Amino acid sequence: MVEEKGTISINTENIFPIIKKFLYSDHEIFLRELVSNAVDATQKIKRLAAIGEYKEELGDLKIKITINEELKTLTVSDSGIGMTDEEVKKYINQIAFSGATEFVEKYKDKGEENQIIGNFGLGFYSSFMVADKVDLITKSHQEGREAVQWTCDGSTEFEITSAVKKTRGTDVVLHLNEDSQEFLEKARVQGILDKYCKFLPVEVEFDEKVVNNPNPIWTKSPSDLKDEDYLAFYKELYPFSEDPLFWIHLNVDYPFNLTGVLYFPKIKNDLEMNRNKIQLYSRQVFITDEVKDVVPEFLMLLHGIIDSPDIPLNVSRSYLQSDSNVKKINAHITKKVADKLSELFKKDRKAYEEKFDNIGLFVKYGMISEDKFYEKALKFALFKNTEGEYATFDEYREKVAPNQTDKDGNLVYLYTSDAGKQDTFIQSARKRSYDVLELNGPIDSHFINMLEQKLEKTSLKRVDADIADKLVEKDEKMESVLSDKEKDTVKAVYEQVLNNKSMTVSVESLSPDELPVTITLPEFMRRMKDMAASGGGGFAMMGQMPDQYSVAVNANHALTKKILEETDESAKDQLAKQAVDLAKLSQNMLTGADLTNFIQRSVDMTAQ
């Protein structure tokens, strides 16, 4: 064959600097592109053999990656379809044409177009991000065609010569530049292969071992898989994680192509730590693990794989945000998750309830962020109370309506954010046969606000937001044993002992078995501060505002009578101080020297 030199047919001489600097955000991507092209070529020869257009032995179809530290080269070799000199000129020199595109066009009526990974074109030129010179040595599958070598040094000049290559396929030899010597390190190359090529559909060999799983479970039919297969694959993806709760196998071919497996993990309270565990693939080639435009925000806590040939390899954030297929995939995943949760709830409610402490975070997050999901979730979202009992929204409303409807006909749901710290208030509520919900998760402050917007004539109050008799306002009032004058006297004693403008004292007619003093932070004030602490928009200023506490003195408690009857002013103050400190203790407000003084005073009073 006569040697040939020429100029690559491109529109601008600046394309190589652009490729080197801007084609990809990370230069390591060159290896993904070259291996993907090798897979493409391998699948083409397999297809030709399957339809009888290639009759020779296919032989070993592994893609092989080799490093030569002495020559400073990295080589990607395949035994695929190969190229003739004419095809090299066409597919390598004329970027506008794509080998894959033409192949798809030629065989599209034979139903195999979805097996072709991408364009043997621009991706190939990513080699020049890391190489001073690239040699492409290829031999076509066509009988009698000689091998050919294409060489380019990163300018628009190329050279084609005859080559010595006995076997069908292509070798791409990169002569690495000084800035890219890291790609001669085995560990570095292995890391890239683990990241991008872990599930390629053709075996990839590096350092004398196959480094990928060409038949991952999402490419198989769910009917051919057992639970152990899904769990084993989860361990392959996340070796150090606990087993997932359950999973969803995605398999859609219309109106878009989508396969994958999504796992529901056991969620820790650190939401950020659990994010970015879903990987996006295109025909088994890794694209990204930043999938928030493909997967609904509330499902970002799921783990697993999504694979769609409708998403190109060289994907950008703007593409993901605007593409109609991506939006359809997003909606489909939401529906599949809702359907799966509904199915689990109906199939085995007890097992579903046992998982709900983990599932609940997904469900609540979804109800907050997606109206369509909210409507579906009404059937399988559960409340859990402090007794460990679960109820659907409808069941719970029916359960508490008789006793927790206030004088204006509004239903009041009581909840605790920390059952241990708020136990005193929970016990007071129980004395009135009130039910108390557990809402102690990382997004429950937002969930509570959402519920009040969605549920008619319903409000939610934390169980320590007020004295028990005022949590659900009724027309009944307990009589006070104190006169108005005695109430004023008691109030003055406590105001003097407190000496705190952020604490408003009132004397209330309560049950004698309630605490002598109860300190509460009103619901609206505490909720605003919670929203500020969790980053709620517009509430940041609340975090700097001083707390305004309500101090309710129990007019009917024996200690109140004792304070009124005490003639020694110092002793009277001590009694009031003890009652206040007990109230602070129940709200975890007693610390430091105040706590030490309370303990000493308690010891002294006991010893008297």
Side-chain angles (χ1 to χ4, degrees), residues 91-198:
Y91 299 141
I92 301 301
N93 294 341
Q94 299 171 18
I95 293 176
F97 294 93
S98 160
T101 301
E102 180 169 307
F103 188 84
V104 169
E105 196 63 35
K106 186 174 179 183
Y107 294 104
K108 67 180 179 181
D109 296 330
K110 296 172 183 169
E112 203 63 20
E113 66 271 24
N114 287 340
Q115 294 302 310
I116 310 308
I117 278 186
N119 300 334
F120 198 96
L122 196 55
F124 167 76
Y125 280 98
S126 65
S127 307
F128 289 98
M129 295 191 297
V130 297
D132 285 330
K133 184 175 79 164
V134 176
D135 297 322
L136 183 144
I137 303 146
T138 185
K139 182 173 173 63
S140 173
H141 69 288
Q142 295 174 24
E143 194 174 344
R145 301 304 295 258
E146 65 176 322
V148 58
Q149 176 168 332
W150 175 95
T151 299
C152 180
D153 62 1
S155 68
T156 55
E157 304 297 317
F158 68 88
E159 183 176 356
I160 297 177
T161 59
S162 296
V164 177
K165 181 172 171 57
K166 295 180 180 179
T167 56
R168 176 200 73 232
T170 302
D171 301 330
V172 179
V173 184
L174 309 185
H175 299 264
L176 297 171
N177 59 40
E178 283 302 315
D179 294 335
S180 303
Q181 299 298 300
E182 65 192 275
F183 300 114
L184 294 174
E185 298 168 14
K186 286 183 181 179
R188 179 74 171 102
V189 172
Q190 183 67 55
I192 301 169
L193 295 173
D194 287 344
K195 181 176 181 180
Y196 295 106
C197 306
K198 197 170 183 177

Side-chain angles (χ1 to χ4, degrees), residues 205-307:
E205 183 178 287
F206 174 64
D207 199 21
E208 299 185 345
K209 62 180 183 290
V210 174
V211 296
N212 64 320
N213 172 2
N215 300 297
I217 63 170
W218 80 81
T219 64
K220 301 173 184 177
S221 168
S223 60
D224 296 334
L225 297 166
K226 297 177 181 176
D227 287 357
E228 304 88 83
D229 298 316
Y230 288 104
L231 291 171
F233 185 64
Y234 188 76
K235 288 296 183 189
E236 189 176 342
L237 292 174
Y238 315 105
F240 304 109
S241 296
E242 291 181 75
D243 284 351
L245 297 164
F246 54 89
W247 47 85
I248 298 169
H249 195 131
L250 302 166
N251 198 345
V252 185
D253 54 19
Y254 183 82
F256 49 83
N257 288 291
L258 176 69
T259 55
V261 179
L262 292 176
Y263 292 91
F264 279 71
K266 292 178 181 173
I267 290 292
K268 311 299 181 199
N269 270 344
D270 186 349
L271 296 186
E272 292 306 315
M273 189 181 81
N274 289 279
R275 287 172 174 270
N276 298 327
K277 295 290 183 70
I278 298 177
Q279 298 171 9
L280 180 63
Y281 284 72
S282 179
R283 296 188 183 94
Q284 296 173 241
V285 182
F286 176 78
I287 299 176
T288 181
D289 56 9
E290 293 182 10
V291 297
K292 73 177 196 142
D293 295 301
V294 182
V295 176
E297 172 71 17
F298 75 98
L299 294 176
M300 288 291 289
L301 301 174
L302 295 180
H303 295 175
I305 301 281
I306 295 171
D307 191 324

Side-chain angles (χ1 to χ4, degrees), residues 387-406:
E387 305 288 321
E389 300 164 341
Y390 292 89
T392 65
F393 282 23
D394 286 344
E395 290 167 351
Y396 194 73
R397 172 174 283 273
E398 191 175 331
K399 175 183 177 180
V400 301
N403 196 37
Q404 289 177 217
T405 301
D406 68 15

Side-chain angles (χ1 to χ4, degrees), residues 350-367:
K350 188 171 186 301
Y352 180 82
E353 288 180 355
E354 288 170 357
K355 293 185 176 83
F356 197 76
D357 285 353
N358 285 285
I359 300 171
L361 187 60
F362 296 105
V363 175
K364 291 173 184 178
Y365 201 166
M367 294 178 84

